[in-house]
């Protein structure tokens, strides 16, 4: 495994056990918890993004926040999956997060009530005759859902008497990632030809 990863880029990693289950749960998009995507950075738990409409977002948690304590217990240089397991739990129960935020001199506490996280991976709206599609994560069927959103926007624009869409905005802000297959499927909607993803060693890619 180490040899295989050494041939890839520095952002590659091997997932198994709890780590694999964690990302599969995110891709499925249905669990009880806070609605946060987190990573470990310099031994600390860092928020990648709160999911839109989640308890974490409503409580004011922001991308880039560091979570230093959970219910008063320090989480530093520990297994990230321990922190994730601690934050998940039955809907209606609460947990106290201690947050360090860039620009603030002192950490502060936020109490978040867990909820059932049922993400809407794709949302859309018509602004004038420009369609805006938000892809909130690359969960299952995102490529299909974006295609449906495009068709729905075309129909909404025609029904409103605005004619054809004159533009389309694809909003990926706060998207924490997810399934590579779904990212490829989404890209394929907008590309007529060419290879979307190549995987290989640095030298191999230079030769292609």
């Amino acid at each position: 495994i180490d040899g295989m990863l050494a041939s890839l880029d520095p952002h590659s990693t091997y997932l198994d056990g709890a780590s694999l289950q964690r990302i599969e749960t995110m891709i499925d998009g249905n669990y009880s918890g806070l609605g946060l995507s987190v990573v470990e950075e310099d031994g600390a738990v860092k928020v990648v993004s709160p999911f839109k409409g989640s308890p974490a977002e409503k409580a004011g948690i922001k991308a880039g926040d560091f979570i230093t304590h959970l219910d008063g217990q320090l989480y530093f240089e520990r297994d990230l999956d321990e922190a994730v397991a601690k934050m998940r739990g039955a809907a209606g129960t609460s947990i106290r997060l201690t947050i360090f935020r860039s620009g603030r001199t002192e950490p502060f506490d936020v109490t978040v009530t867990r909820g059932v996280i049922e993400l809407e991976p794709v949302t859309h709206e018509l602004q004038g005759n420009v369609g805006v599609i938000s892809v909130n994560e690359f969960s299952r069927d995102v490529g299909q859902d974006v295609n449906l959103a495009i068709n729905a926007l075309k129909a909404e624009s025609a029904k409103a008497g605005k004619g054809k869409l004159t533009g389309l905005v694809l909003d990926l802000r706060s998207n924490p990632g997810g399934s590579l297959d779904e990212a490829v499927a989404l890209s394929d909607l907008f590309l007529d030809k060419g290879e979307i993803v190549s995987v290989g060693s640095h030298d191999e890619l230079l030769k292609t």
Side-chain angles (χ1 to χ4, degrees), residues 23-38:
I23 196 167
E24 285 181 340
T25 298
M26 186 190 80
I27 290 170
D28 287 336
N30 193 323
Y31 63 95
S32 293
L34 306 183
L36 278 175
S37 175
V38 296

Side-chain angles (χ1 to χ4, degrees), residues 5-73:
L5 291 178
S7 68
L8 301 178
D9 63 72
H11 304 288
S12 301
T13 187
Y14 176 70
L15 298 176
D16 65 354
S19 297
L20 179 61
Q21 183 179 28
R22 175 158 48 87
I23 196 167
E24 285 181 340
T25 298
M26 186 190 80
I27 290 170
D28 287 336
N30 193 323
Y31 63 95
S32 293
L34 306 183
L36 278 175
S37 175
V38 296
V39 294
E40 183 178 341
E41 185 173 300
D42 297 328
V45 179
K46 183 180 181 180
V47 176
V48 176
S49 67
F51 297 129
K52 290 183 180 179
S54 68
E57 184 189 53
K58 292 175 182 176
I61 307 298
K62 299 182 182 296
D65 284 349
F66 285 91
I67 301 172
T68 62
H69 296 71
L70 300 173
D71 280 336
Q73 184 176 5

